[in-house]
Amino acid sequence: MKPFSILIKPASADCNLRCDYCFYINHLNQQSSNPRMSEETLELMIKSYMSTNQDKHYTFGWQGGEPTIMGLKFFQKAVEFQKKYAPPGATISNGLQTNGTLITEDWAKFLAEYRFLLGVSLDGPDYLHDHYRKTIGMKPTHKMVLRGIEHLRNNSVEFNILSLINSQNVEKASEIYHYFIQNDFYYHQYIPCVEFSENGTLQPFSITGKQWGLFLTELFKEWIKEDINRVSIRLFDSIMEYLVYGKYNVCQMQEDCRQYFVVEYDGGVYPCDFFVRDDLLLGNIKTHNWEKLTKSKIYEDFGTQKANWNLECDKCPYLSLCHGDCQKFRYASPNKSRQISILCEGWKIFYTRTLPQFASIAENYKLRNKIESLTTFKLRKVGRNDSCPCGSGKKFKVCCGKP
């Protein structure tokens, strides 16, 4: 069985905020009771997952809604179950995506002890962040998030900043970027806000493809000035991963959408966070084992639909970097649609203007690492006047052996 990770929604869509652009909150209206994962479901999920062959590495992502409304005791119990059912030699990774408003010192101490990696939602300075991100009582949340981040920092908890790029902040790439740097946030993830109405038009808080492309281009211009080795931007890291190693580390770039499973509070299993729908319910951990879930016809059809991209994509020089883009951005997918991604124009703008520079950075990186590895080898086995092992035909002392 191919290794996979699980994304768990222990409180489903329930949240202490009511962000205008939240795509998941509608699930609350479809649930008859207060959604909370029971201890029995939690134990069964962890036990069954850790009984699968994952090359001894098990990855748990906790998300919502807002997962911290489950309370600290729930997560302490989760860690207990992970310890109990971990096979010998296993490594366990826990990631938690949070709005940060409920993080206390006790939470931060626990997260630090068990090395959780957090993604904290922050859309920029207060006037941008608070426009859409408010409490149930419609109060601003920016200060609450910064207070939670302070607790994380006090306890050396690792965290990334997750920024949703929407209609209010899409033209503020430089301002947002420098705001994060000024606050010593060096790990960023920028996510495009794209939500469709029932007739396929964009919701008012969404962005267009062109806006996305211009945002990323402006972001790149700021990053490349002096922050290549200081600031991690997930998209840029993923591009470099592909250019240097030929590997994809985000599902949006891949040709198939079968990398993880979503587990809802009641044990229901779905193929993707963006597609928790009745027609895409794969089964339930209470009645289905993981092998059966991975072989589900629904899961197979969903995964392979990614490659059912628009025919125009075959002509695109950037196909290998998106493979038709995330199905969320292709209206009507995954129902056999060949709709082109709403962000296509933006990706073309961005890659046309930046890919040559990314390629240059990648080549310099590969050359530098080649020289470093050769240096270790040559100092042991290659004389200064011998031919350089890099194949240049030059003497080692005037090629890779230069000080």
Side-chain angles (χ1 to χ4, degrees):
M1 183 164 44
K2 179 183 175 182
F4 60 90
S5 59
I6 55 175
L7 180 64
I8 308 127
K9 293 179 175 288
S12 188
D14 204 1
C15 186
N16 62 318
L17 305 189
R18 286 297 181 270
C19 305
D20 291 346
Y21 51 52
C22 180
F23 74 92
Y24 212 74
I25 196 67
N26 289 336
H27 287 272
L28 274 183
N29 301 327
Q30 304 166 10
Q31 293 158 353
S32 58
S33 60
N34 192 31
R36 294 292 185 271
M37 181 174 283
S38 68
E39 185 173 312
E40 292 74 21
T41 301
L42 175 67
E43 181 173 16
L44 176 60
M45 175 187 66
I46 293 174
K47 179 181 180 180
S48 62
Y49 176 51
M50 301 196 83
S51 68
T52 63
N53 180 16
Q54 301 292 316
D55 295 331
K56 293 192 175 182
H57 186 85
Y58 298 85
T59 302
F60 296 83
W62 305 90
Q63 200 181 75
E66 175 51 42
T68 60
I69 65 174
M70 292 296 295
L72 183 53
K73 289 184 179 179
F74 175 86
F75 284 90
Q76 290 171 332
K77 181 61 68 172
V79 170
E80 286 182 21
F81 289 143
Q82 289 174 349
K83 291 179 180 178
K84 179 178 179 180
Y85 295 110
T91 59
I92 300 169
S93 299
N94 282 290
L96 177 72
Q97 185 170 332
T98 176
N99 60 42
T101 61
L102 301 179
I103 300 296
T104 62
E105 278 293 303
D106 287 342
W107 261 107
K109 289 176 182 177
F110 166 80
L111 297 168
E113 181 180 0
Y114 293 103
R115 299 182 180 180
F116 275 62
L117 173 64
L118 266 64
V120 181
S121 295
L122 187 64
D123 287 352
D126 53 4
Y127 81 100
L128 293 175
H129 175 92
D130 288 334
H131 185 86
Y132 286 129
R133 301 188 65 81
K134 295 181 174 65
T135 66
I136 294 177
M138 298 304 292
K139 293 182 179 180
T141 62
H142 187 266
K143 289 183 179 179
M144 299 167 67
V145 178
L146 294 187
R147 180 187 63 203
I149 288 175
E150 183 178 359
H151 291 309
L152 297 178
R153 282 179 158 164
N154 288 342
N155 291 275
S156 300
V157 179
E158 294 187 19
F159 66 92
N160 302 328
I161 295 295
L162 308 181
S163 187
L164 190 69
I165 306 308
N166 55 73
S167 59
Q168 291 298 307
N169 63 7
V170 69
E171 296 180 357
K172 305 289 185 180
S174 178
E175 181 179 351
I176 294 170
Y177 180 78
H178 288 291
Y179 171 77
F180 290 158
I181 300 302
Q182 290 162 9
N183 283 275
D184 297 325
F185 302 145
Y186 299 117
Y187 295 88
H188 309 175
Q189 183 176 348
Y190 298 92
I191 306 164
C193 181
V194 175
E195 297 297 332
F196 296 103
S197 62
E198 290 184 1
N199 64 3
T201 59
L202 286 174
Q203 298 279 20
F205 40 73
S206 298
I207 61 173
T208 65
K210 183 176 181 180
Q211 287 177 318
W212 177 236
L214 294 177
F215 176 89
L216 291 177
T217 302
E218 183 179 347
L219 188 70
F220 179 84
K221 288 179 179 178
E222 297 303 317
W223 174 77
I224 201 172
K225 288 178 182 177
E226 56 184 20
D227 290 336
I228 293 175
N229 297 313
R230 181 170 70 135
V231 177
S232 169
I233 296 176
R234 189 182 184 192
L235 172 62
F236 297 177
D237 292 346
S238 298
I239 294 169
M240 292 296 297
E241 179 83 7
Y242 172 70
L243 293 176
V244 174
Y245 301 108
K247 299 178 181 179
Y248 300 111
N249 61 11
V250 289
C251 54
Q252 172 262 329
M253 288 184 173
Q254 300 191 41
E255 193 173 353
D256 192 293
C257 285
R258 285 176 287 182
Q259 282 78 45
Y260 71 99
F261 291 98
V262 172
V263 183
E264 261 284 357
Y265 79 102
D266 59 356
V269 181
Y270 300 83
C272 175
D273 181 33
F274 298 131
F275 294 98
V276 175
R277 303 185 331 204
D278 290 344
D279 61 319
L280 292 174
L281 175 64
L282 307 179
N284 193 294
I285 58 171
K286 300 172 185 176
T287 55
H288 296 69
N289 61 44
W290 287 107
E291 184 172 3
K292 185 175 182 179
L293 291 166
T294 60
K295 294 180 179 179
S296 162
K297 183 65 166 57
I298 297 175
Y299 191 48
E300 179 184 358
D301 289 346
F302 176 82
T304 56
Q305 169 63 19
K306 178 69 157 70
N308 193 34
W309 51 69
N310 189 282
L311 297 179
E312 288 298 310
C313 295
D314 291 321
K315 307 172 186 177
C316 180
Y318 311 120
L319 179 61
S320 63
L321 289 163
C322 79
H323 290 101
D325 209 0
C326 175
Q327 295 192 61
K328 175 181 171 63
F329 307 139
R330 292 152 51 173
Y331 179 70
S333 191
N335 298 321
K336 307 302 181 185
S337 169
R338 284 189 177 272
Q339 180 70 37
I340 201 162
S341 168
I342 195 72
L343 298 180
C344 177
E345 180 183 5
W347 288 121
K348 288 179 178 178
I349 290 171
F350 172 60
Y351 285 128
T352 298
R353 299 181 183 182
T354 64
L355 198 55
Q357 290 167 284
F358 274 117
S360 178
I361 297 169
E363 288 304 312
N364 288 335
Y365 177 86
K366 288 190 283 189
L367 179 60
R368 184 172 67 251
N369 280 271
K370 179 180 180 181
I371 290 174
E372 288 174 355
S373 61
L374 285 170
T375 299
T376 302
F377 170 78
K378 65 198 173 181
L379 289 177
R380 295 197 311 268
K381 299 185 177 181
V382 183
R384 299 287 290 168
N385 291 310
D386 292 341
S387 296
C388 187
C390 74
S392 67
K394 299 178 182 179
K395 290 185 177 181
F396 170 66
K397 67 181 179 180
V398 296
C399 188
C400 294
K402 290 187 294 185

